[in-house]
């Protein structure tokens, strides 16, 4: 039996490492709640695409920040198909490629880039009112007052298998890349990947997407989110 979640303002923060199921769970939960969906990772990827296109040195934080501040980044919040453009170019497919994936952690570590996007993300959350937001620092930094904070995780093997299946890549190579990104994202100085102190940790290794969504809806119902 599906839990009854009250209508009204509701912000759900979903954090966790790559391959933990964040995107699929967040989109389905947003649809289930009749709310919006924000993929903050896609925003960082779009900025990374713009930085790579510009040809600036990834180690030059000032140059990277300049590109980030000048690019016209637009992202939708429809969980059924949100769309991402940078300077009028549809980059939704381009930002999932290996070049962007290899560089996104470096770009996301630039404090000025994070400050810019966190501000933009907060504006979008306030405007949406009822939204599921996924990323790496949502519960701890972007939306610390979220109605529900969830940290999704899974075994390294499960995460690699899932991402490999999505990207049609070698499992071993994918596992190595995930480990590299985990290390970079969790040790950066600015807003590192971290579990918010009051977040509920949910291991998705042995759980199906529908099971995870049902659990999150149950938690929201318990909180009587208005």
């Amino acid at each position: 039996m599906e839990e009854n979640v009250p209508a009204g303002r509701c912000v759900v923060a979903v954090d966790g490492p790559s391959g933990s199921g964040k995107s699929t769970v967040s989109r389905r939960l947003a649809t289930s709640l009749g709310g919006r969906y924000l993929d903050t990772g896609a925003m960082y990827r779009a900025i990374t695409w713009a930085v790579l296109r510009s040809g600036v040195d990834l180690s030059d934080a000032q140059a990277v920040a300049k590109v980030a501040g000048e690019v016209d980044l637009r992202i939708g919040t429809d969980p059924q198909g949100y769309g991402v453009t940078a300077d009028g170019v549809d980059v939704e497919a381009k930002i999932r490629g290996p070049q962007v994936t290899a560089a996104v952690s470096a770009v996301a570590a630039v404090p000025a880039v994070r400050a810019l996007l966190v501000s933009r993300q907060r504006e979008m959350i306030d405007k949406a009112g009822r939204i599921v937001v996924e990323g790496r620092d949502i519960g701890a930094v972007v939306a610390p007052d979220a109605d529900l904070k969830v940290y999704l995780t899974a075994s390294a093997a499960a995460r690699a298998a899932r991402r490999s299946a999505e990207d049609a890549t070698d499992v071993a190579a994918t596992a190595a890349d995930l480990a590299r990104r985990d290390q970079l994202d969790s040790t950066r100085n600015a807003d590192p990947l971290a579990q918010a102190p009051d977040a509920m940790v949910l291991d998705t290794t042995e759980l199906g997407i529908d099971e995870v969504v049902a659990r999150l809806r149950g938690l929201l119902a318990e909180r009587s989110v208005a």
Side-chain angles (χ1 to χ4, degrees):
M1 180 176 179
E2 189 173 73
E3 298 287 351
N4 180 34
V5 178
R9 181 175 176 80
C10 176
V11 178
V12 180
V14 182
D15 292 304
S18 299
S20 58
K22 293 194 310 293
S23 296
T24 304
V25 166
S26 296
R27 286 197 301 269
R28 289 199 191 178
L29 181 61
T31 298
S32 174
L33 296 174
R36 311 306 290 178
Y37 161 72
L38 179 58
D39 178 357
T40 64
M43 298 175 75
Y44 285 102
R45 283 175 172 271
I47 293 295
T48 301
W49 177 85
V51 169
L52 291 173
R53 181 187 61 169
S54 74
V56 303
D57 187 340
L58 289 177
S59 65
D60 186 339
Q62 186 173 355
V64 169
K66 185 175 186 296
V67 173
E70 295 175 347
V71 66
D72 178 13
L73 170 62
R74 304 192 182 191
I75 182 169
T77 57
D78 182 347
Q80 299 303 313
Y82 49 92
V84 189
T85 64
D87 290 335
V89 178
D90 180 352
V91 296
E92 192 165 356
K94 301 177 188 295
I95 62 176
R96 306 298 174 183
Q99 285 187 312
V100 169
T101 296
V104 66
S105 289
V107 172
V110 176
V113 173
R114 299 204 71 81
L116 176 71
L117 292 187
V118 167
S119 177
R120 177 85 177 274
Q121 290 154 13
R122 286 174 175 163
E123 290 176 1
M124 296 177 74
I125 291 169
D126 288 341
K127 182 178 180 180
R130 193 170 182 80
I131 188 169
V132 179
V133 189
E134 66 146 303
R136 283 165 160 69
D137 62 347
I138 310 306
V141 176
V142 179
D145 296 325
D147 298 287
L148 175 64
K149 301 177 187 178
V150 185
Y151 189 88
L152 296 185
T153 187
S155 69
R159 291 170 53 214
R162 292 169 183 172
R163 185 49 55 88
S164 176
E166 291 174 2
D167 300 340
T169 53
D170 176 73
V171 175
T174 299
D177 184 61
L178 290 180
R180 177 189 65 83
R181 290 184 59 198
D182 287 349
Q183 174 67 17
L184 290 172
D185 293 345
S186 61
T187 58
R188 66 181 177 230
N189 292 324
D191 307 335
L193 165 64
Q195 173 195 330
D198 53 347
M200 187 206 75
V201 180
L202 184 56
D203 189 325
T204 67
T205 303
E206 301 296 335
L207 297 176
I209 298 300
D210 291 340
E211 291 177 279
V212 177
V213 172
R215 291 195 185 189
L216 301 189
R217 283 186 60 90
L219 289 169
L220 286 169
E222 288 174 8
R223 286 164 169 71
S224 298
V225 177

